Amino acid sequence: MPAITLVGAQWGDEGKGKATDLVGDRVDYVVRYQGGNNAGHTVVIGDQKYALHLLPSGILSPNVVPVIANGVVIDPGVLMEELAGLQARGVDTSRLLISANAHLIMPYHRALDKVSERFLGKGRIGTTGRGIGPTYADKVSRQGVRVQDMFDPKILRKKIELAIHDKNQLLTKVYNRRALEAEPIIEEYLGYAEQLRPYVADTALLLNKALDEGKTVYLEGSQGTLLDIDHGTYPFVTSSSPTSGGAAAGSGIGPTRITKVVGILKAYTTRVGSGPFPTELLDEQGEWLRKQGHEYGVTTGRDRRCGWFDAPIARYATRINGITDFFLTKLDVLTGLDRIPVCVAYEVDGVRHDEIPMTQTDFHHAKPVYEYLDGWSEDITGARSFDELPGNAQAYVRTLEEMAGAPVSAIGVGPGRDQTLELRSLV
Ligand code: GDP
Ligand code: IMO
Ligand code: MG
């Protein structure tokens, strides 16, 4: 059986948590392959609402094995808190598996994330402040601390002492902050070792074996295509690869085993943090979208920046990820508009660009070229099949599908588990 990847097609918060939950009773494993607790994935089940940051959304599905794979960065304190929070609500978290190769977010990563942002001032990225960037930086420069290091106290001590020596130079001499002490950090992380030990496994081996046995593995991306370190709006990106290419490296599953890539696409666009956003609405229309769509960050509580649908971005996501199916979310949010602007191209210094411009400078100056589609006023939150949507809502979906270059296989008409029209099975 196949491995299926789910990716955010825009700047994150497209509704990935809901999409994963939708297939929770049809898959055997749900795997987070990158990012960390910068993510905020919402799952609504009946009158219960869950916000997941580090744990795969599949943890809420009773028959799924949730996996935190090697590509993820783990803040162990946050992980313990998130597990305790779910356990208190009656969720069985005992099936969780954590890769021994995943890297650990350390207190100095969080400290450096915050001070470097402050230092950048107006040029800041607007990170979530969770230490994600500095942790991946240490991974790449081969100074990272991995989950498995917690089980070898000598190695853990050596790594932390070395790192602290370096980081304290930065914290005190560059950023004028207080130095951190190694000892309490070593003690803290040795404590986590015992708590996490039962969950830790060779997850790449287990996932490949599961595929050999005919099980279905669902790779749940966090963030989105335009936040990808290679393919996003660099430097206003996250420090990992949420795009489908990252799913193989981040989980240890070979790309030939991934047979489907589902892109989660909001019926309009949002973004949190700094960086270019051509269709952003800085007026009352943006405020209207924010209110209608409850566009407030799950992780940091920040207002999300809101704008109209951007077709070149959707096409870009199709291309970069090899998207086979789209899940178009939040169509219900657009109800009540007479006509809906859709960005079909950009204009940069008087020149039309049908695709995302090659350089970031041009993208910063890109002005959206809009086409206007007819809106609808009927409440669609109770619709359960495509035919039940008003004609103009159907036409909106079909037009977006054509522009995006891959079929829309599911449509979200509300946050609830059942508020989904599945045109073709996502799994
Ligand atoms: P994620 O990070 O991609 O998982 O998305 P978030 O959870 O950060 O943000 C998506 C928000 O939209 C959440 O509050 C969801 O409950 C909500 N949501 C998801 N799909 C739909 C939909 O089709 N309609 C509406 N109205 N809300 C949705
Ligand atoms: P989910 O999985 C939206 C953004 C931050 C910032 C940039 C870098 O819920 O879609 P980081 O802390 O990762 O170094 O911040 O990326 N960002 C997200 N925006 N949704 C997310 O996750 C995000 N995770 C990070 O706002 O602009
Ligand atoms: Mg989110």
Side-chain angles (χ1 to χ4, degrees), residues 72-291:
V72 175
V73 290
I74 300 175
D75 189 325
V78 171
L79 177 60
M80 296 320 303
E81 253 175 52
E82 204 169 320
L83 283 170
L86 289 182
Q87 285 156 4
R89 293 174 73 177
V91 177
D92 174 13
T93 59
S94 62
R95 302 175 313 279
L96 177 69
L97 297 176
I98 300 172
S99 168
N101 287 354
H103 279 247
L104 295 174
I105 299 179
M106 308 296 289
Y108 44 84
H109 293 134
R110 288 193 301 267
L112 284 168
D113 193 358
K114 290 194 180 115
V115 289
S116 59
E117 280 280 278
R118 214 168 299 150
F119 198 72
L120 282 169
K122 269 184 146 176
R124 69 182 174 273
I125 292 159
T127 72
T128 59
R130 302 299 193 260
I132 306 295
T135 307
Y136 277 113
D138 272 2
K139 172 179 176 174
V140 172
S141 65
R142 295 163 293 190
Q143 293 174 322
V145 183
R146 299 197 288 176
V147 166
Q148 57 184 282
D149 298 329
M150 290 194 296
F151 305 132
D152 186 334
K154 259 204 212 142
I155 290 275
L156 185 72
R157 171 171 294 279
K158 203 166 151 193
K159 285 200 164 191
I160 292 179
E161 280 174 352
L162 260 175
I164 286 272
H165 174 77
D166 257 33
K167 307 303 176 202
N168 276 346
Q169 301 288 321
L170 265 176
L171 284 170
T172 58
K173 294 186 181 150
V174 177
Y175 296 112
N176 210 16
R177 299 276 132 181
R178 221 178 300 144
L180 293 171
E181 278 181 60
E183 208 50 47
I185 299 177
I186 296 168
E187 286 306 309
E188 184 188 343
Y189 278 69
L190 283 174
Y192 294 136
E194 288 325 302
Q195 292 171 285
L196 291 181
R197 195 184 284 274
Y199 300 110
V200 178
D202 183 345
T203 53
L205 177 66
L206 292 177
L207 290 171
N208 278 284
K209 277 192 173 162
L211 286 168
D212 291 343
E213 287 163 12
K215 301 267 175 26
T216 303
V217 174
Y218 197 78
L219 300 152
E220 180 189 14
S222 50
Q223 289 80 51
T225 302
L226 275 297
L227 287 172
D228 184 276
I229 187 78
D230 281 282
H231 301 289
T233 46
Y234 191 90
F236 303 103
V237 292
T238 193
S239 298
S240 64
S241 300
T243 47
S244 62
S251 66
I253 291 175
T256 48
R257 306 195 87 158
I258 300 170
T259 53
K260 232 179 192 188
V261 179
V262 179
I264 315 300
L265 187 65
K266 217 179 263 194
Y268 50 98
T269 314
T270 63
R271 166 162 215 177
V272 192
S274 323
F277 179 178
T279 65
E280 180 171 22
L281 297 163
L282 297 165
D283 53 10
E284 67 281 1
Q285 283 188 309
E287 193 48 44
W288 183 86
L289 274 178
R290 188 172 304 118
K291 284 223 172 81

Side-chain angles (χ1 to χ4, degrees), residues 269-387:
T269 314
T270 63
R271 166 162 215 177
V272 192
S274 323
F277 179 178
T279 65
E280 180 171 22
L281 297 163
L282 297 165
D283 53 10
E284 67 281 1
Q285 283 188 309
E287 193 48 44
W288 183 86
L289 274 178
R290 188 172 304 118
K291 284 223 172 81
Q292 292 284 114
H294 305 286
E295 296 296 354
Y296 308 97
V298 178
T299 298
T300 56
R302 288 178 287 181
D303 282 5
R304 291 177 181 155
R305 300 160 64 193
C306 296
W308 300 122
F309 185 80
D310 186 323
I313 282 180
R315 255 196 316 278
Y316 182 76
T318 303
R319 219 158 48 230
I320 295 292
N321 296 294
I323 287 171
T324 56
D325 300 77
F326 274 117
F327 185 157
L328 186 70
T329 60
K330 303 193 101 163
L331 186 64
D332 54 300
V333 173
L334 298 177
T335 300
L337 294 165
D338 279 346
R339 49 179 216 156
I340 310 170
V342 168
C343 167
V344 295
Y346 310 110
E347 201 186 282
V348 183
D349 299 329
V351 178
R352 183 182 165 113
H353 289 248
D354 289 312
E355 303 297 338
I356 294 184
M358 187 183 74
T359 69
Q360 198 64 223
T361 308
D362 279 354
F363 196 47
H364 265 282
H365 297 125
K367 302 252 177 316
V369 176
Y370 285 120
E371 268 179 21
Y372 296 86
L373 305 184
D374 290 330
W376 59 92
S377 56
E378 300 89 332
D379 179 5
I380 61 169
T381 55
R384 290 297 173 268
S385 73
F386 191 69
D387 296 342

Side-chain angles (χ1 to χ4, degrees), residues 13-18 40-42 44 298 304 329-330 332-333 412-415:
D13 303 326
E14 300 90 348
K16 297 177 292 291
K18 179 184 154 165
H41 297 174
T42 315
V44 179
V298 178
R304 291 177 181 155
T329 60
K330 303 193 101 163
D332 54 300
V333 173
V413 293

